[in-house]
Amino acid sequence: MPMRARSARPWLAMLALLLACGLSPSAASAQGKLLKRGNGPDVETLDPHKVRSVSAGNVVRDLFEGLVSEAADGRLIPGVAASWQVSDDGRIYVFSLRADARWSNGEALTATDFVYALRRSLSPSTASPSAALLAPIRGAEALMSGKGSAEHLGVSALDDRTLQIELERPTPYFPGLLANPVAYPVHRASLEREGAQFTRAGKLVSNGAYVLDEWALQSHVRLQRNAQYWNARAVAIDTVMHLVTEDLNAEFQRFRAGGLHITEQVPAQQIAAMSPALKPQLRIADYLGSYYYGFNLSQPPFKDQPGLRKALSLAIDRQIIVDKVMGSGEKPAYGWLPPGIDAAASPRPEWASWSREQRAHEARRLYAAAGYGPQRPLAVQIRYNTHDYHQKIATVIAAMWKQTLGVKTTLYNEETKVFLQSRRERRFTQVFRASWVADYADASSFLDLLLSNNPRNDTGYANARYDALLAQAANTSGAPRAELFAQAERLMLADTPVIPIYFYVTKHLVAPTVRGWRNNPLDHHYTRDLDLVPVSQ
């Protein structure tokens, strides 16, 4: 018995260390350093050119890498391109690719791969929701509209390691666009061989710090370290699990029990009651993101009814939502652009300074002018993807509409993939929950979303004047560009295709065993930048 007791002590010490790191013994021995990340809703795709959601973007950034990448603090850094040069007129970029850049199957990654990928992203047949980000490239708009050819796109391989991109006009923020998944390379041979199945485990060939090991729907995506990655020696985490965590309270409890190293969010009520021991693990930071409701403008009751749309907007008390529902430092949104975004100052509408009673009075006036009232109440559906916060916010807004206007609201939740499809089709949606996070730190990232030809404009908003103002801004710089953005935003807010509700902050719990985490305004946290280390006793 004493001999058994002595032999058990090292095993118990090792078990304690593994549990402190959030690892199970089997995971540690079989998979090395295993990081478990909460990732919110299930991912809708792992095709980088078709990513729509934040959760899919988180995974795809681990799997792929573009010409340009991001440091842990959000700064732009070289990715596949070791360096680049820009012509004096700002229109021609020449990228020098790393000699050791490879696909996960060991094949060399060349400039031709980027030519193929950028042509694919912009092809109408791909239907990339983010293709408009590449509009600055010469010939991109013609290709997106189906009026141009891929051969005339301003992207060419000067040799295997040199890529040239020609722009329509100087675009100072262009390198930041290339850090977006829409500009990532895809492996042509496997895509053409496998078709839509090329993103499946065992078939996906990628070029990032990780490779796909398993994709279990409504459960997790498991990735393994990519030995072919050019900087593989600097990658510390061997295995990362991106776990579906739609139930925030369950995610919180899972973190507390050691089943997660990082949460996707933190419930407000848990923040308010957080213990002193857990508080140091809470990371709250400003975020270039907006939570809003969109209207389906392609059919009644909101088609050609800007007054009705504005009435519903005025009837929402945003301060109550950020204080009572969220409670984590979110800011009420009265405009479209979040604070801190480059190249614009968002105009604050006059009614933002009104009292609650003044807003309610104007809301009732507009509601009546649209033909609705006690004898003919508006019946409307709020559609949202399954998530604790979305349901709570929808319930509160429905109550506000009922109390102020007498609106009869039905709440309808859908699984994320179905919900995104419903928004795109605009057949059944009336009011839908939405959010937007900047793809890059410039006002155009938000304003371009509501261009009439943007495939991610799920409202169907189309205003020729709005489009023209943004087209003019694309050829302008400095203060005149900021003024054009302000004019476009004022015009759009008067039309009210969307109801801005609040501006995000990021809220994560990060275990003390995690090293390398840095807050950044886009909330991009690449697993390659993280490590797991024991906590010193």
Side-chain angles (χ1 to χ4, degrees), residues 61-82:
R61 277 189 293 274
D62 276 351
L63 287 169
F64 292 88
E65 183 172 75
L67 293 163
V68 179
S69 189
E70 298 164 305
D73 61 4
R75 291 176 296 108
L76 294 180
I77 58 174
V80 175

Side-chain angles (χ1 to χ4, degrees), residues 73-96:
D73 61 4
R75 291 176 296 108
L76 294 180
I77 58 174
V80 175
S83 62
W84 57 89
Q85 297 178 337
V86 188
S87 62
D88 291 342
D89 65 359
R91 293 181 55 251
I92 297 177
Y93 285 73
V94 177
F95 296 88
S96 298

Side-chain angles (χ1 to χ4, degrees), residues 411-425:
L411 307 186
Y412 191 87
N413 73 293
E414 293 179 316
E415 186 272 328
T416 298
K417 290 182 182 179
V418 177
F419 169 71
L420 292 174
Q421 183 66 27
S422 297
R423 278 174 39 177
R424 283 194 298 273
E425 292 178 347

Side-chain angles (χ1 to χ4, degrees), residues 429-463:
T429 53
Q430 293 181 326
V431 178
F432 57 87
R433 172 263 159 189
S435 62
W436 186 250
V437 176
D439 292 303
Y440 51 98
D442 186 86
S444 59
S445 181
F446 268 82
L447 294 167
D448 286 359
L449 179 66
L450 293 169
L451 285 169
S452 59
N453 63 350
N454 192 323
R456 300 187 80 157
N457 178 2
D458 293 334
T459 68
Y461 178 60
N463 184 310

Side-chain angles (χ1 to χ4, degrees), residues 210-342:
Y210 291 87
V211 294
L212 178 62
D213 182 51
E214 182 180 49
W215 181 4
L217 297 179
Q218 285 300 318
S219 176
H220 64 269
V221 179
R222 185 172 64 222
L223 311 180
Q224 300 286 356
R225 194 163 66 91
N226 177 12
Q228 299 293 336
Y229 179 53
W230 67 267
N231 201 24
R233 285 178 294 182
V235 177
I237 301 295
D238 299 288
T239 306
V240 54
M241 298 273 285
H242 290 270
L243 295 139
V244 174
T245 51
E246 292 182 321
D247 185 328
L248 297 187
N249 283 300
E251 181 188 43
F252 178 78
Q253 296 303 330
R254 192 171 184 174
F255 178 87
R256 291 192 62 190
L260 287 175
H261 295 99
I262 303 167
T263 67
E264 192 264 340
Q265 286 194 53
V266 186
Q269 66 271 23
Q270 300 291 2
I271 292 176
M274 194 167 288
S275 68
L278 201 56
K279 203 80 169 182
Q281 300 174 53
L282 177 64
R283 308 293 184 93
I284 297 179
D286 288 337
Y287 190 33
L288 297 181
S290 174
Y291 190 105
Y292 67 96
Y293 274 10
F295 292 105
N296 181 353
L297 305 187
S298 63
Q299 55 185 293
F302 300 112
K303 182 179 181 180
D304 301 324
Q305 286 276 28
L308 177 61
R309 302 192 297 263
K310 186 174 181 180
L312 294 181
S313 178
L314 288 167
I316 296 175
D317 191 324
R318 293 151 174 82
Q319 197 66 52
I320 287 178
I321 291 173
V322 300
D323 289 345
K324 305 299 184 183
V325 182
M326 305 306 297
S328 305
E330 292 82 1
K331 300 174 177 66
Y334 302 105
W336 184 232
L337 300 178
I341 200 161
D342 291 347

Side-chain angles (χ1 to χ4, degrees), residues 194-217:
E194 304 293 347
Q197 299 298 308
F198 90 100
T199 59
R200 298 302 174 186
K203 298 180 179 180
L204 182 62
V205 178
S206 58
N207 76 309
Y210 291 87
V211 294
L212 178 62
D213 182 51
E214 182 180 49
W215 181 4
L217 297 179

